[in-house]
Amino acid sequence: MAKIVCVLYPDPQTGYPPSYARDSIPSITRYANGQTAPAPHDLGFKPGELVGCVSGELGLRAYLEGLGHELIVTSDKDGPGSELERHLPDAEIVISQPFWPAYLTPERIAKAPKLKLALTAGIGSDHVDLEAAAKAGITVAEVTGSNSISVAEHVVMMVLSLVRNYLPSHEIAVKGGWNIADAISRSYDVEGMDFGTIAAGRIGLAVLRRLKPFGLKLHYTDPHRLPAEVEKELELTYHPDPVSLVRAADIINLQMPLYPSTENFFNDALFAEMRRGTYLVNTARGKLVDRDALVRAVKAGIIAGYAGDVWFPQPAPPDHPWRTMPYNGMTPHISGTSLSAQARYAAGTLEVLQNWFEGTPIRDEYLIVDGGRLAGTGAKSYKLD
Ligand code: NAD
């Protein structure tokens, strides 16, 4: 029987919720690209419940224990004495979420000789060292598509919040003030601005589609060019490289995966190419942006506002400079784990586990590493160097 270690974020500080703001969530069965939503059998939770935290257990316990497997659920993931490290030597499967990542470094992979499957309950498997996983014959899979629209909606929210100066204006209202001139001295309309996304995969394209009605001029760069009919429909300008895009944009969305050569992608050199007063939104990964170069760019006025929900490491330390730098709209990593999103990625996690234990193939689009190499979505979107 297998040992499955599932690393999830802690329960709410007020305790696991006894009730919810809404009684149900809409049922989404198909995504924009035609892909069907996860469809496992014996779903162990009611969609709309909080399953992404420790007590929610992604609703997996009944299914796994019914087969006689051992399920360990913990949020204790960092450091040599952590519960995750204690269970690594005999774990066959590690499940983790990008929001509270169980970093599977080469050193940890070496301590896990029985590990066969690293499963991301969500999207983005950069917390796993993909090269080390490939060498060790570990399959890496994620629930591609499950929270793409959740994140795209978050990006739209952050674009509007930054440009219209929503957060400081809200704070004035909460504090009993009526300082209109203070609130609007950094407030603009997005209409007519140039918006560019770096990567137009599932999320990047969904952001472009959602922003189209706002009257923005839309730009993108991606090693994979979109079909001509999509470029025409959205009136997109394609840029062959990121420098060309950042020179042309007032608002930039960062949406590419993190792999070794995209670490610190936004650095002093790239910030120097940007228009003064650019807004930057990053819901992709914190490590794509050089932490201190960003603070310098904000202070220099190159960046008029920065928002996102991704940091490194996660959880971010209390003194992380992005928490307090001017004009930031940061949140903890929440965009892809709304109650709606987690219903889909928890169902997808169960679907992959059922494939694993029932000997049926994992969907190709869920695969990142398989058979010692990048596979599926991994082969399209990631590099090992
Ligand atoms: P996707 O696989 O559909 O698309 C990724 C796109 O990135 C592909 O089109 C690929 O060609 C492009 N790309 C790869 N390298 C690039 C480069 N160097 N420059 C420009 N483009 C490049 O993935 P997706 O579902 O759109 O997700 C994108 C990323 O967003 C994920 O890898 C993850 O890091 C992040 N994400 C974050 C959250 C969250 O909760 N904040 C949730 C989901 C995904």
Side-chain angles (χ1 to χ4, degrees):
M1 290 297 108
K3 177 185 268 193
I4 297 114
V5 182
C6 182
V7 178
L8 299 175
Y9 47 76
D11 284 4
Q13 290 181 348
T14 48
Y16 195 67
S19 66
Y20 296 90
R22 296 182 55 80
D23 297 329
S24 64
I25 58 169
S27 165
I28 310 282
T29 54
R30 192 173 285 276
Y31 306 144
N33 63 358
Q35 185 189 318
T36 53
H41 56 84
D42 298 320
L43 193 66
F45 63 94
K46 180 174 174 259
E49 287 174 355
L50 175 58
V51 288
C53 64
V54 170
S55 291
E57 301 182 324
L58 298 177
L60 296 174
R61 188 167 293 280
Y63 170 72
L64 291 172
E65 290 187 347
L67 295 179
H69 300 305
E70 185 186 2
L71 175 66
I72 308 289
V73 182
T74 181
S75 61
D76 183 16
K77 67 183 183 75
D78 294 319
S82 61
E83 201 173 348
L84 167 65
E85 288 227 351
R86 284 206 303 280
H87 289 289
L88 276 181
D90 52 356
E92 178 175 323
I93 298 175
V94 171
I95 302 170
S96 175
Q97 298 173 299
F99 323 104
W100 188 263
Y103 294 110
L104 288 180
T105 58
E107 297 72 31
R108 280 183 161 177
I109 286 174
K111 287 182 192 163
K114 295 186 178 165
L115 186 59
K116 295 278 174 294
L117 174 65
L119 177 51
T120 304
I123 302 173
S125 296
D126 49 276
H127 57 278
V128 181
D129 188 298
L130 299 182
E131 188 167 12
K135 281 190 184 138
I138 297 167
T139 296
V140 181
E142 60 185 43
V143 192
T144 306
S146 58
N147 58 14
S148 311
I149 301 306
S150 325
V151 178
E153 290 183 2
H154 202 88
V155 172
V156 172
M157 173 183 80
M158 286 181 151
V159 166
L160 293 172
S161 301
L162 286 180
V163 178
R164 302 202 57 94
N165 208 32
Y166 168 60
L167 291 171
S169 308
H170 174 65
E171 220 171 299
I172 289 171
V174 170
K175 287 185 177 152
W178 199 261
N179 326 40
I180 293 174
D182 296 272
I184 56 84
S185 59
R186 293 186 67 88
S187 174
Y188 299 89
D189 295 355
V190 297
E191 185 180 22
M193 285 190 175
D194 287 287
F195 173 90
T197 184
I198 300 184
R202 290 169 180 80
I203 302 173
L205 178 58
V207 169
L208 290 168
R209 285 196 192 288
R210 278 154 183 74
L211 285 177
K212 175 73 179 154
F214 284 89
L216 288 148
K217 289 172 261 170
L218 302 176
H219 305 249
Y220 81 102
T221 184
D222 194 303
H224 295 94
R225 199 157 170 175
L226 290 166
E229 62 270 21
V230 175
E231 288 192 355
K232 194 165 164 224
E233 172 204 335
L234 298 174
E235 298 176 273
L236 296 177
T237 303
Y238 175 73
H239 295 261
D241 59 74
V243 171
S244 161
L245 180 131
V246 304
R247 285 180 180 156
D250 303 303
I251 309 165
I252 296 170
N253 175 49
L254 191 48
Q255 212 67 73
M256 82 232 264
L258 175 68
Y259 44 83
S261 52
T262 59
E263 268 184 38
N264 291 328
F265 179 86
F266 264 94
N267 51 27
D268 286 311
L270 194 55
F271 282 123
E273 300 289 345
M274 292 164 76
R275 294 176 176 176
R276 185 179 160 276
T278 298
Y279 301 91
L280 180 58
V281 172
N282 176 14
T283 56
R285 285 295 177 259
K287 257 195 183 178
L288 293 167
V289 177
D290 178 325
R291 189 192 71 171
D292 298 329
L294 171 64
V295 177
R296 285 191 287 276
V298 171
K299 289 187 174 158
I302 296 170
I303 296 293
Y306 180 85
D309 68 342
V310 284
W311 311 68
F312 184 79
Q314 290 190 178
D319 62 351
H320 193 295
W322 295 358
R323 288 184 188 269
T324 49
M325 76 183 168
Y327 316 124
N328 89 77
M330 295 299 294
T331 53
H333 193 162
I334 58 162
S335 61
T337 184
S338 59
L339 294 176
S340 322
Q342 55 189 260
R344 291 186 294 274
Y345 69 66
T349 302
L350 179 61
E351 183 187 299
V352 173
L353 291 172
Q354 289 173 348
N355 294 143
W356 189 259
F357 290 118
E358 292 167 14
T360 52
I362 298 171
R363 298 185 199 204
D364 198 51
E365 68 259 28
Y366 288 178
L367 291 174
I368 303 298
V369 168
D370 195 38
R373 63 177 66 85
L374 292 174
T377 292
K380 185 186 165 210
S381 296
Y382 285 83
K383 289 183 186 164
L384 291 180
D385 53 11

